[in-house]
Amino acid sequence: MVKTNKTQSILYSLDELRPIRSSVDQCRTHLMKFIEQYKSMNVLDVETRLLNRCVYKNWNARRAELGIQASRRTVRLLEQFLSKREQHLEQILSEFKPDHVEIRLPSRGTLNQLLNSLEESLLLLSKVKRFSKVTVDRLRVECNRANYVHYNILMMSLCSRIYFLVVALEKSQKEFCFNMPVYLDYARFLSKAATRRQPSAIREATQLFARSPPTTISFASGSPNTSLFPFKEATITLIDGTNIQLDPSAMSKALQYLPTPGQADLLDWFKKLQNRYHSPRDFKRYDLCITNGSMEGLGKVFELVLNPGDSILVDSPCYSGSLDFLRGFGADIVSIDTDSNGMNDKHLNEILSNWPETKTFPKALYTIPNGSNPTGASMNFERRKTIYEIAKKYDLLIIEDDPYYFLQFTKPEPSFLSMDIDGRVIRLDSMSKVLSAGMRLGFVTAPVPLWQKLVYHQQVTSMHASSLSQMVALKLFEKWNLSGFDEHTQRIAKFYENQKTLMVDAISKHLKEKKIQLEVLNLFLNSQSSIFSKEDFELKVIKNNTYLDMVTFNEPTAGMFIWIKILGIQDTRKLIYEKALAKEVLLLPGSAFFVDQSKSYPFVRVSYSLCTPEQMETGMTRFGKVLREELAC
């Protein structure tokens, strides 16, 4: 039950609440339906008519008294319950409503009070249901004894109506609790620096001016006069021979400051992309911010939720750029094992369920779910669902870094953003792999309270992503439309799939297998009695296809990388940086992708994005020679 008369609330601005307004309305709709369901049933009127009918017919009042009294007690209990629920729900409806300036939402404590009240109501409903059922059963016995047919019909009608009303109310409350939007306590996830961040007055003025009517005269801007810039217009030729044009008007916008989240039309375009490919359940709870590549966005997201020393859960192995940032930031990096399906859910759950009490519990996990760098692994749907449920269980944010989403060779699995029902996913997307790495365009999709703090950070650092890059991308998207963008990304995915196939063939041909070396054969023959000759043994080995694998790997279904384990070699650093480089072939040793780089790792990362088929063949031939020489030692 609610223990205070005054419901506590938190004050938000309209801008902060704009993306979650639909959820507020949805919550209000559930409350209204809840009230209307029981207002439409007048059980007291039914009881009164029943009692009057019994008295009028002068039936055996003594036998009727037991059932009527039980029914009246049930009705009064139900009426008491309905009255208290109505008062509470009407209080919620009256206090949390929009006005012209602000919207007030229940605080987390108030929402918890409401949910606790509903849970207590369910207990009360169960009690009423028991009373009603007992009453029905006892009336059935009494009526059968006395054979009062009309009495039986009327009393059963009353009590059955009460009973089914209670069942309907119980169902309504369960549906309300289930459908009621979940609002996380985002303040818990913010770092101390993010909590202190306030909006930049100058950047806020820029955003206000961008949303103002064209007739608005601004004396607030410190922007330079674009007429003094040496650039007038630009024509960019596409690979299909067509052009996109930046006329003087577009060029003027491309050379001027922008609102921090990004160029409005390009933001709308990216929102269309998110809806098309991810279809978030309640996208209005989110907003977007364009960044100078997704790496800038990722760094700001890490600083948004982490204090130095805070723990964060990451893939192991993990993208080296992320590890380098987290190390420099002073984060406690907790490695979660990965396999061919990405982050291992069992290991994640084991780490969290056995978390030491002396350490601060993590607030977030970080993963690259598709074509992971460096392993090339992609999560299947079941793995994603399990990890999301673990995040819900332990109240974690999921930082979904997905730069290879459009480089998938099979039908994409639903993203974490698409399955998010709580607003606990921060998603990072990149245009580097599909438009241009040098344009430095990425974008962050985050729940509004977190998005707002991220924007405050960007206001005082890079201010906004390149205006020129944003304008070029916008003109390209306007030329393509969504269908053109989809065709372009399909061509990209097909190209990288072909590259992957060629690289897998080259690895299998030159690294996967080797015949037993003659040196090994000689050692074997010298230690054995001469039952058969050296030639007989060699023929037997070849005939039985007896080979030694030099490497193992999983074939990726997305991305640009293959993760290879070298068998028989514990540390690949010296092998790569000295011996392989001496043969004019370069790979990345696996140690670059683990938290503890002091240890030895038998892995290498192979990229197939840039190499021609001839280079793949020649490079793997060279690396195969390096391995054979090393393994023969």
Side-chain angles (χ1 to χ4, degrees):
M1 298 293 182
V2 177
K3 296 179 174 57
T4 58
N5 294 326
K6 178 63 177 175
T7 310
Q8 297 299 311
S9 63
I10 301 174
L11 181 63
Y12 296 90
S13 69
L14 281 173
D15 281 344
E16 290 173 325
L17 279 174
R18 173 171 49 83
I20 57 174
R21 172 62 187 277
S22 64
S23 296
V24 179
D25 293 338
Q26 182 188 20
C27 184
R28 185 177 292 107
T29 300
H30 282 300
L31 293 171
M32 291 300 296
K33 286 182 179 178
F34 185 49
I35 292 174
E36 291 302 322
Q37 274 190 332
Y38 63 72
K39 277 189 174 180
S40 63
M41 292 181 160
N42 192 339
V43 291
L44 293 177
D45 180 60
V46 176
E47 183 198 12
T48 302
R49 285 190 285 110
L50 169 64
L51 187 58
N52 289 340
R53 182 87 180 262
C54 290
V55 173
Y56 176 74
K57 290 293 186 181
N58 196 26
W59 288 336
N60 192 326
R62 186 179 63 80
R63 287 192 174 275
E65 185 177 1
L66 175 65
I68 292 175
Q69 286 181 353
S71 298
R72 293 190 70 173
R73 283 196 300 271
T74 302
V75 170
R76 285 170 183 162
L77 187 60
L78 183 60
E79 181 187 26
Q80 181 183 20
F81 158 74
L82 296 177
S83 175
K84 289 182 179 179
R85 295 290 69 69
E86 183 172 6
Q87 291 174 10
H88 186 185
L89 297 176
E90 284 185 346
Q91 180 187 17
I92 295 291
L93 289 175
S94 63
E95 292 204 12
F96 303 117
K97 59 184 180 182
D99 54 35
H100 296 295
V101 179
E102 64 195 28
I103 300 175
R104 287 184 178 271
L105 277 184
S107 66
R108 186 64 188 172
T110 298
L111 289 176
N112 285 335
Q113 282 185 343
L114 174 59
L115 292 174
N116 290 337
S117 175
L118 291 174
E119 288 173 2
E120 291 179 17
S121 300
L122 290 177
L123 297 176
L124 182 56
L125 282 171
S126 299
K127 186 177 180 181
V128 172
K129 188 163 63 173
R130 276 199 312 275
F131 285 173
S132 300
K133 191 174 187 305
V134 168
T135 301
V136 170
D137 292 341
R138 292 180 69 178
L139 283 172
R140 182 180 290 113
V141 172
E142 292 296 329
C143 293
N144 286 340
R145 285 176 183 171
N147 196 27
Y148 291 136
V149 178
H150 292 86
Y151 175 80
N152 184 17
I153 292 173
L154 289 169
M155 292 303 294
M156 289 292 289
S157 173
L158 168 65
C159 292
S160 296
R161 183 156 187 172
I162 294 173
Y163 178 74
F164 287 115
L165 171 60
V166 172
V167 172
L169 280 169
E170 185 176 11
K171 181 180 179 182
S172 173
Q173 285 205 162
K174 286 181 178 178
E175 289 179 352
F176 171 75
C177 291
F178 177 78
N179 291 315
M180 184 176 177
V182 176
Y183 293 100
L184 302 181
D185 181 10
Y186 289 113
R188 188 184 80 80
F189 296 110
L190 294 176
S191 66
K192 293 178 181 178
T195 302
R196 293 192 296 266
R197 293 196 189 282
Q198 297 296 320
S200 163
I202 294 175
R203 298 305 299 154
E204 290 291 301
T206 302
Q207 291 182 213
L208 287 172
F209 186 64
R211 296 195 298 264
S212 301
T215 54
T216 301
I217 299 172
S218 174
F219 299 117
S221 175
S223 303
N225 195 308
T226 55
S227 67
L228 301 177
F229 295 159
F231 310 101
K232 183 178 181 182
E233 56 185 324
T235 301
I236 299 175
T237 303
L238 305 180
I239 58 174
D240 63 1
T242 61
N243 298 325
I244 55 175
Q245 185 74 29
L246 270 63
D247 59 25
S249 175
M251 199 65 174
S252 177
K253 295 178 181 178
L255 298 174
Q256 190 54 278
Y257 291 128
L258 287 175
T260 295
Q263 212 277 349
D265 292 337
L266 185 59
L267 280 171
D268 288 342
W269 228 97
F270 284 148
K271 289 175 183 177
K272 290 178 184 178
L273 288 184
Q274 298 299 62
N275 274 313
R276 179 183 181 89
Y277 294 104
H278 305 289
S279 303
R281 176 176 175 178
D282 189 2
F283 196 31
K284 292 184 178 180
R285 298 176 70 171
Y286 291 85
D287 214 331
L288 276 66
C289 181
I290 300 173
T291 56
N292 289 294
S294 65
M295 192 63 214
E296 183 198 35
L298 182 59
K300 284 182 165 56
V301 168
F302 284 150
E303 292 189 62
L304 176 74
V305 300
L306 293 175
N307 298 302
D310 281 356
S311 299
I312 183 169
L313 307 156
V314 305
D315 297 328
S316 181
C318 182
Y319 173 49
S320 59
S322 301
L323 292 180
D324 290 340
F325 182 94
L326 292 170
R327 284 193 199 94
F329 190 72
D332 175 26
I333 308 171
V334 181
S335 298
I336 306 298
D337 293 342
T338 60
D339 53 29
S340 59
N341 280 318
M343 182 176 282
N344 188 301
D345 54 314
K346 292 183 175 59
H347 189 221
L348 174 64
N349 193 59
E350 179 186 349
I351 290 291
L352 292 171
S353 60
N354 295 291
W355 194 264
E357 295 182 359
T358 55
K359 289 181 63 175
T360 303
F361 200 80
K363 297 182 287 186
L365 68 85
Y366 165 74
T367 185
I368 301 178
N370 295 305
S372 175
N373 184 356
T375 64
S378 297
M379 285 189 194
N380 59 30
F381 182 53
E382 290 303 318
R383 179 69 61 86
R384 294 178 200 234
K385 284 199 303 183
T386 304
I387 287 179
Y388 186 83
E389 289 303 316
I390 292 173
K392 286 182 64 176
K393 177 180 177 181
Y394 293 101
D395 197 17
L396 303 173
L397 293 177
I398 297 176
I399 303 173
E400 181 180 30
D401 187 8
D402 206 358
Y404 308 104
Y405 177 82
F406 294 109
L407 275 63
Q408 296 187 71
F409 315 142
T410 57
K411 183 181 178 181
E413 298 282 5
S415 63
F416 283 113
L417 178 64
S418 69
M419 63 178 65
D420 187 23
I421 58 175
D422 296 343
R424 65 176 67 255
V425 173
I426 302 176
R427 179 177 171 83
L428 295 110
D429 286 275
S430 173
M431 290 290 105
S432 295
K433 314 302 184 292
V434 293
L435 293 187
S436 160
M439 289 177 72
R440 306 310 302 135
L441 281 182
F443 55 97
V444 180
T445 306
V448 171
L450 300 179
W451 166 86
Q452 188 67 76
K453 292 294 186 179
L454 188 143
V455 169
Y456 291 166
H457 189 181
Q458 180 132 319
Q459 285 179 345
V460 295
T461 51
S462 59
M463 295 177 63
H464 58 77
S466 165
S467 304
L468 183 58
S469 293
Q470 291 190 55
M471 184 57 69
V472 171
L474 175 62
K475 292 298 181 181
L476 180 61
F477 290 150
E478 289 176 345
K479 178 182 177 65
W480 275 347
N481 295 318
L482 283 171
S483 59
F485 179 82
D486 195 48
E487 291 173 4
H488 175 69
T489 55
Q490 287 181 27
R491 286 195 299 272
I492 290 174
K494 190 66 178 176
F495 171 83
Y496 284 109
E497 182 180 18
N498 184 59
Q499 291 285 98
K500 179 264 301 185
T501 301
L502 293 172
M503 183 62 83
V504 167
D505 290 344
I507 293 172
S508 298
K509 180 179 178 181
H510 298 288
L511 307 185
K512 181 64 176 169
E513 299 168 337
K514 74 180 180 73
K515 296 174 185 176
I516 291 181
Q517 298 293 311
L518 290 179
E519 292 85 353
V520 178
L521 174 61
N522 288 328
L523 288 173
F524 178 84
L525 290 175
N526 291 334
S527 64
Q528 303 291 323
S529 60
S530 54
I531 300 175
F532 43 78
S533 67
K534 175 179 175 181
E535 288 75 22
D536 289 337
F537 182 80
E538 190 170 11
L539 287 173
K540 183 178 178 66
V541 168
I542 296 172
K543 184 177 178 181
N544 292 336
N545 200 28
T546 305
Y547 293 97
L548 294 177
D549 289 346
M550 290 195 293
V551 301
T552 61
F553 65 94
N554 292 311
E555 187 170 340
T557 58
M560 307 188 308
F561 309 107
I562 297 176
W563 186 245
I564 297 177
K565 182 178 182 180
I566 311 295
L567 302 179
I569 295 178
Q570 291 303 312
D571 189 358
T572 58
R573 278 174 290 199
K574 185 175 181 180
L575 177 77
I576 297 299
Y577 290 142
E578 295 182 14
K579 299 183 179 181
L581 196 56
K583 296 285 188 182
E584 298 184 356
V585 59
L586 181 62
L587 304 88
L588 273 182
S591 56
F593 304 97
F594 289 92
V595 175
D596 188 352
Q597 295 187 336
S598 64
K599 293 183 178 180
S600 299
Y601 300 96
F603 303 101
V604 294
R605 191 196 74 175
V606 175
S607 173
Y608 49 80
S609 60
L610 292 177
C611 298
T612 65
E614 295 75 19
Q615 288 173 324
M616 294 181 194
E617 185 74 14
T618 302
M620 285 302 149
T621 300
R622 294 173 181 174
F623 190 56
K625 291 179 180 178
V626 172
L627 288 186
R628 279 189 286 273
E629 291 174 1
E630 185 72 10
L631 291 171
C633 294

